[in-house]
Amino acid sequence: MFGLDTSEHRLRVAAGRVTTCTRRAVADEEREQAGTRRVLVAFDPVRQLERGWTLTLDADGALVRRAADVRPGQRIATRFVDGQRTSVVEAEEVSR
C-alpha cells in the first residue's frame, strides 16, 4: 500500500508541474501575440491614412515613393482615408 500512495503522490506532483508549465507557456504566448498585434496595428496602412497620410499610386497601381517617379502629364491616384482621387501631374518642382 505504501508504494501506491507514493506513486499517487508523484503523479499529483508531476501533474501539478505540467499544469504550471502549460499555464506559463500559454501566458508567454499570449504576451507575445499581444506584442505582435501592437506592431501590426502601428503599421496598419489604414491607421496611417486616419492620421492624415495619403498613398499615391501610379497608373499601374504601384506605390509612388519619390517625386522623381512621376512626370508631368502622368496620371496618379491619391488614396485618402475616405476614398481616392485621380489627378494629372502638371509640373515638376525641384525641392532643395
Side-chain angles (χ1 to χ4, degrees):
M1 195 73 157
F2 180 74
L4 185 59
D5 287 341
T6 302
S7 295
E8 267 185 62
H9 176 71
R10 286 182 180 168
L11 183 58
R12 281 193 199 112
V13 169
R17 287 182 186 148
V18 168
T19 300
T20 300
C21 289
T22 302
R23 286 182 181 150
R24 187 173 298 136
V26 168
D28 290 347
E29 183 62 29
E30 287 172 345
R31 274 191 298 279
E32 186 174 330
Q33 287 182 6
T36 300
R37 277 192 296 275
R38 282 192 298 276
V39 170
L40 289 173
V41 166
F43 287 99
D44 180 2
V46 174
R47 184 125 190 231
Q48 304 309 316
L49 294 174
E50 289 170 348
R51 291 180 177 146
W53 293 90
T54 62
L55 294 173
T56 302
L57 309 170
D58 66 15
D60 297 325
L63 186 63
V64 176
R65 297 179 185 274
R66 292 174 293 280
D69 292 342
V70 293
R71 300 280 177 239
Q74 186 175 350
R75 294 179 69 83
I76 58 173
T78 303
R79 184 173 167 200
F80 302 88
V81 69
D82 62 346
Q84 182 171 302
R85 295 291 184 257
T86 301
S87 54
V88 176
V89 176
E90 290 186 0
E92 230 175 284
E93 296 177 19
V94 178
S95 69
R96 294 174 191 231

